[in-house]
Amino acid sequence: MTGEEPGQVAALPAQGLLDTNILVLRRWINPAELPDEMAISAVTLAELSAGPHQVRPNGEQDLYDEHEERARRTEALQRAESEFDPVPFDAEAARVYGRVTAAVVAAGREPRRRTADLMIAATALAEDLPCSPPTQTTTRVWRSSSASFPSPVRPCCARGNPVHGR
């Protein structure tokens, strides 16, 4: 339950940490569906940095042209690097990551396949930023945050990490 009346749409938060998929697909998403001020995690930058190296050769797949896909992924990385100053995955995020993993295990799910997503969620929780998009896991963990995450949180801007406006 989100606390809204049936049929009521939740208001978007003013700030949010973008998931890697949302960052890549952002140009096709209605800006009204995104936070006014957006940030990315260093984990997202790591995923984008690995992307061009994970393109499979044309001989191994027929879904895309390897050269076009590598160029597309490189462009996505370059745009993110020029547009955002990533929020670091720091010691506090690492501590929160342990609790996020515990919540995933308690829910009967396997955290290993989703390490980067959980690290992004941990960064968002450590920085007191909503994750965009909110996933079932981050929503469940966020709801329990007052009980499960008693440590103080710092807004990401407090440490010189600008949150990017639309």
Side-chain angles (χ1 to χ4, degrees):
M1 286 284 143
T2 60
E4 290 112 29
E5 295 295 320
Q8 201 176 24
V9 178
L12 282 175
Q15 296 181 331
L17 190 71
L18 298 182
D19 176 81
T20 306
N21 293 328
I22 295 303
L23 178 66
V24 170
L25 300 173
R26 183 172 50 141
R27 72 176 87 170
W28 295 286
I29 298 173
N30 180 346
E33 296 177 25
L34 294 169
D36 290 332
E37 297 177 21
M38 298 172 275
I40 65 168
S41 168
V43 176
T44 292
L45 200 56
E47 286 188 293
L48 293 175
S49 294
H53 305 291
Q54 296 173 329
V55 173
R56 293 186 355 224
N58 288 334
E60 294 180 12
Q61 54 76 35
D62 60 359
L63 299 174
Y64 50 77
D65 175 74
E66 69 179 291
H67 304 289
E68 289 176 13
E69 183 64 13
R70 191 171 289 109
R72 188 187 67 74
R73 291 181 186 196
T74 299
E75 180 183 350
L77 168 63
Q78 291 169 338
R79 285 183 186 279
E81 287 175 325
S82 71
E83 200 172 334
F84 294 95
D85 183 13
V87 178
F89 183 83
D90 60 11
E92 181 61 22
R95 288 182 201 99
V96 173
Y97 175 76
R99 292 179 278 187
V100 169
T101 299
V104 171
V105 170
R109 303 190 91 156
E110 175 58 48
R112 209 173 269 281
R113 291 180 31 227
R114 307 168 59 201
T115 301
D117 289 340
L118 298 180
M119 290 174 77
I120 292 168
T123 302
L125 286 163
E127 298 294 339
D128 197 25
L129 285 170
C131 215
S132 295
T135 63
Q136 288 181 347
T137 300
T138 57
T139 301
R140 182 172 34 255
V141 171
W142 205 273
R143 282 189 196 137
S144 66
S145 66
S146 60
S148 303
F149 300 92
S151 61
V153 292
R154 304 167 311 277
C156 71
C157 296
R159 293 186 300 166
N161 295 306
V163 180
H164 179 73
R166 276 193 265 227

Coordinates of all heavy atoms in Angstrom, one line a residue, residues 112-143:
R112 N 22.3 -12.0 -5.7 CA 23.5 -12.1 -6.5 C 23.3 -11.6 -8.0 O 24.2 -11.0 -8.5 CB 24.1 -13.5 -6.5 CG 25.6 -13.5 -6.6 CD 26.1 -14.9 -6.5 NE 26.5 -15.2 -5.1 CZ 27.6 -14.9 -4.5 NH1 28.4 -14.1 -5.2 NH2 27.9 -15.2 -3.3
R113 N 22.2 -11.9 -8.6 CA 22.0 -11.6 -10.0 C 21.7 -10.1 -10.1 O 21.7 -9.5 -11.2 CB 20.8 -12.4 -10.6 CG 21.2 -13.8 -10.7 CD 20.0 -14.6 -11.3 NE 19.2 -13.9 -12.2 CZ 17.8 -13.9 -12.2 NH1 17.2 -14.6 -11.3 NH2 17.1 -13.1 -13.0
R114 N 21.5 -9.4 -9.0 CA 21.0 -8.0 -9.1 C 22.0 -7.1 -8.3 O 21.6 -6.1 -7.8 CB 19.6 -7.9 -8.5 CG 18.7 -8.9 -9.2 CD 17.4 -9.0 -8.5 NE 16.7 -7.8 -8.4 CZ 15.8 -7.5 -7.5 NH1 15.4 -8.4 -6.7 NH2 15.3 -6.3 -7.5
T115 N 23.2 -7.4 -8.2 CA 24.2 -6.7 -7.4 C 24.2 -5.2 -7.7 O 24.1 -4.4 -6.8 CB 25.6 -7.3 -7.5 OG1 25.5 -8.7 -7.1 CG2 26.6 -6.6 -6.7
A116 N 24.3 -4.8 -9.0 CA 24.4 -3.4 -9.4 C 23.1 -2.7 -9.0 O 23.2 -1.6 -8.4 CB 24.7 -3.3 -10.8
D117 N 22.0 -3.3 -9.2 CA 20.7 -2.6 -8.9 C 20.6 -2.4 -7.4 O 20.2 -1.4 -6.9 CB 19.5 -3.5 -9.4 CG 19.4 -3.5 -10.9 OD1 19.9 -2.5 -11.5 OD2 18.7 -4.4 -11.4
L118 N 21.1 -3.4 -6.6 CA 21.0 -3.3 -5.2 C 22.0 -2.3 -4.6 O 21.7 -1.5 -3.7 CB 21.2 -4.6 -4.5 CG 20.2 -5.7 -4.8 CD1 20.5 -7.0 -4.1 CD2 18.8 -5.3 -4.5
M119 N 23.1 -2.1 -5.3 CA 24.1 -1.1 -4.9 C 23.6 0.3 -5.2 O 23.8 1.2 -4.4 CB 25.4 -1.4 -5.6 CG 26.2 -2.6 -5.1 SD 27.7 -3.0 -6.1 CE 28.8 -1.7 -5.4
I120 N 22.9 0.4 -6.3 CA 22.2 1.7 -6.7 C 21.2 2.0 -5.6 O 21.1 3.2 -5.1 CB 21.7 1.7 -8.1 CG1 22.8 1.6 -9.1 CG2 20.8 2.9 -8.3 CD1 22.4 1.3 -10.5
A121 N 20.3 1.0 -5.3 CA 19.3 1.2 -4.2 C 19.9 1.6 -2.9 O 19.5 2.5 -2.2 CB 18.5 0.0 -4.1
A122 N 21.1 1.0 -2.6 CA 21.7 1.3 -1.3 C 22.3 2.7 -1.3 O 22.2 3.4 -0.3 CB 22.9 0.3 -1.1
T123 N 22.8 3.1 -2.5 CA 23.3 4.5 -2.6 C 22.2 5.5 -2.4 O 22.3 6.5 -1.7 CB 24.0 4.7 -4.0 OG1 25.0 3.8 -4.1 CG2 24.5 6.1 -4.1
A124 N 21.0 5.2 -3.0 CA 19.8 6.1 -2.9 C 19.4 6.1 -1.4 O 19.1 7.2 -0.9 CB 18.7 5.6 -3.7
L125 N 19.3 5.0 -0.7 CA 18.9 5.0 0.7 C 19.9 5.7 1.5 O 19.5 6.5 2.4 CB 18.8 3.6 1.2 CG 17.5 2.8 0.6 CD1 17.7 1.3 0.8 CD2 16.3 3.4 1.3
A126 N 21.2 5.5 1.3 CA 22.2 6.2 2.1 C 22.2 7.7 1.9 O 22.5 8.5 2.8 CB 23.6 5.7 1.7
E127 N 21.8 8.1 0.8 CA 21.7 9.6 0.4 C 20.3 10.2 0.7 O 20.1 11.3 0.4 CB 22.2 9.8 -1.0 CG 23.6 9.4 -1.3 CD 24.6 10.2 -0.5 OE1 24.3 11.4 -0.1 OE2 25.8 9.8 -0.4
D128 N 19.4 9.4 1.1 CA 18.0 9.8 1.3 C 17.4 10.3 0.0 O 16.7 11.4 0.0 CB 17.9 10.8 2.4 CG 16.5 11.0 3.0 OD1 15.7 10.0 2.8 OD2 16.2 12.1 3.5
L129 N 17.7 9.7 -1.1 CA 17.1 10.0 -2.4 C 16.2 8.9 -2.8 O 16.6 7.7 -2.7 CB 18.2 10.2 -3.4 CG 19.0 11.5 -3.3 CD1 20.2 11.4 -4.3 CD2 18.2 12.7 -3.7
P130 N 15.0 9.2 -3.3 CA 14.2 8.1 -3.9 C 14.9 7.6 -5.2 O 15.6 8.3 -5.9 CB 12.9 8.8 -4.3 CG 13.0 10.2 -3.8 CD 14.4 10.5 -3.4
C131 N 14.7 6.3 -5.4 CA 15.3 5.6 -6.6 C 14.2 5.7 -7.7 O 13.1 5.5 -7.5 CB 15.5 4.2 -6.3 SG 17.0 3.5 -7.1
S132 N 14.7 6.1 -8.9 CA 13.8 6.2 -10.1 C 14.2 5.2 -11.1 O 15.3 5.3 -11.6 CB 13.8 7.6 -10.6 OG 13.3 8.5 -9.7
P133 N 13.4 4.2 -11.5 CA 12.1 4.1 -11.0 C 12.1 3.3 -9.7 O 13.0 2.5 -9.4 CB 11.4 3.2 -12.1 CG 12.5 2.3 -12.5 CD 13.8 3.2 -12.5
P134 N 11.0 3.5 -8.9 CA 11.0 2.7 -7.7 C 10.7 1.2 -8.0 O 9.7 0.9 -8.7 CB 9.8 3.3 -6.9 CG 9.0 4.0 -7.9 CD 9.9 4.4 -9.0
T135 N 11.5 0.3 -7.6 CA 11.3 -1.1 -7.9 C 10.6 -1.7 -6.7 O 10.5 -1.1 -5.6 CB 12.6 -1.8 -8.1 OG1 13.4 -1.8 -6.9 CG2 13.4 -1.2 -9.2
Q136 N 10.1 -2.9 -6.8 CA 9.5 -3.6 -5.7 C 10.4 -3.7 -4.5 O 10.0 -3.5 -3.4 CB 9.0 -5.0 -6.1 CG 7.8 -5.0 -7.0 CD 7.4 -6.4 -7.3 OE1 8.1 -7.4 -7.1 NE2 6.2 -6.5 -7.9
T137 N 11.7 -4.0 -4.8 CA 12.7 -4.2 -3.7 C 12.9 -2.8 -3.0 O 12.9 -2.7 -1.8 CB 14.0 -4.7 -4.3 OG1 13.7 -6.0 -4.8 CG2 15.0 -4.9 -3.2
T138 N 13.2 -1.8 -3.8 CA 13.5 -0.5 -3.2 C 12.3 0.1 -2.5 O 12.4 0.7 -1.4 CB 14.0 0.6 -4.2 OG1 13.1 0.7 -5.3 CG2 15.4 0.1 -4.8
T139 N 11.1 -0.1 -3.0 CA 9.9 0.3 -2.4 C 9.7 -0.4 -1.0 O 9.4 0.3 0.0 CB 8.7 0.1 -3.3 OG1 8.9 0.8 -4.5 CG2 7.4 0.6 -2.6
R140 N 9.9 -1.7 -1.0 CA 9.8 -2.5 0.2 C 10.8 -2.0 1.2 O 10.5 -1.8 2.4 CB 9.9 -4.0 -0.1 CG 9.7 -4.9 1.1 CD 9.6 -6.4 0.8 NE 10.5 -6.8 -0.3 CZ 10.0 -7.1 -1.6 NH1 8.7 -7.0 -1.8 NH2 10.8 -7.5 -2.5
V141 N 12.1 -1.9 0.8 CA 13.1 -1.5 1.7 C 12.9 0.0 2.2 O 13.0 0.3 3.4 CB 14.5 -1.6 1.0 CG1 15.6 -1.0 1.9 CG2 14.8 -3.1 0.8
W142 N 12.5 0.8 1.3 CA 12.2 2.2 1.6 C 11.1 2.3 2.7 O 11.2 3.1 3.6 CB 11.8 3.0 0.4 CG 12.1 4.5 0.5 CD1 11.3 5.4 1.0 CD2 13.3 5.1 0.0 NE1 11.9 6.6 0.9 CE2 13.1 6.5 0.3 CE3 14.5 4.7 -0.6 CZ2 14.1 7.4 0.0 CZ3 15.4 5.6 -0.9 CH2 15.3 6.9 -0.6
R143 N 10.1 1.5 2.5 CA 9.0 1.6 3.5 C 9.4 1.2 4.9 O 8.9 1.7 5.9 CB 7.8 0.7 3.0 CG 7.0 1.3 2.0 CD 5.8 0.4 1.7 NE 5.2 0.7 0.5 CZ 4.8 -0.1 -0.4 NH1 4.8 -1.4 -0.2 NH2 4.3 0.3 -1.6

